Amino acid sequence: MPVEVGHIIRELSNYLAEHPREKMAMMPLYDAARDHAQRRTCTHEGRCPVVVAGPIVMDESGRVLAFQNEGRHLLFENEPSAEDITLSGVALRVLEGTVGTREVWTEPGSEGPFLVDVAPSGRTAFGPRIRVGFRYLFRAHSDLIPSGPWAWVDAKAIGIHAVRERLLSHPVSAS
């Protein structure tokens, strides 16, 4: 069973309870999701926000696991697939499919989205649709992550402003 609209609404509601200043940016997704839940179908003719999810993985030194691409450090994300039940499950699937491991854990009390970031329409590959990324924070020991086209980087190197700022303000404790 794919991620249900009700799950997206609950994750977003819980996130907004912790981050009420971000409410206005999230309203297009919240309104579209509630409309889908009430009508039990999409009537937006392909204009609904696109929901993606991905992991933010921090190591014992507070570094972040990121792709290296043309001098930029990108995070992992993908749209939910038919087998995904939760958005955090999407993040774990993306991590396993991309990096080849699920050797991560969450900090107690941080099971919900660490950040929900919004990319306006026209700035993504989704054309006129806004992109809403649910990002889940995981911890991992750096030596358990296999090598690949990714690296452990300082949070200051992350290219997404909202993610970088949230990471820099997050109290990091050594594991």
Side-chain angles (χ1 to χ4, degrees), residues 156-169:
K156 294 175 187 170
I158 300 301
I160 302 169
H161 175 75
V163 174
R164 183 177 59 250
E165 294 305 311
R166 181 69 51 87
L167 285 168
L168 292 173
S169 67

Side-chain angles (χ1 to χ4, degrees), residues 66-74 153 157-160:
F67 269 124
Q68 294 179 316
N69 184 12
E70 298 178 8
R72 296 175 40 207
H73 299 289
L74 308 173
V153 300
I158 300 301
I160 302 169

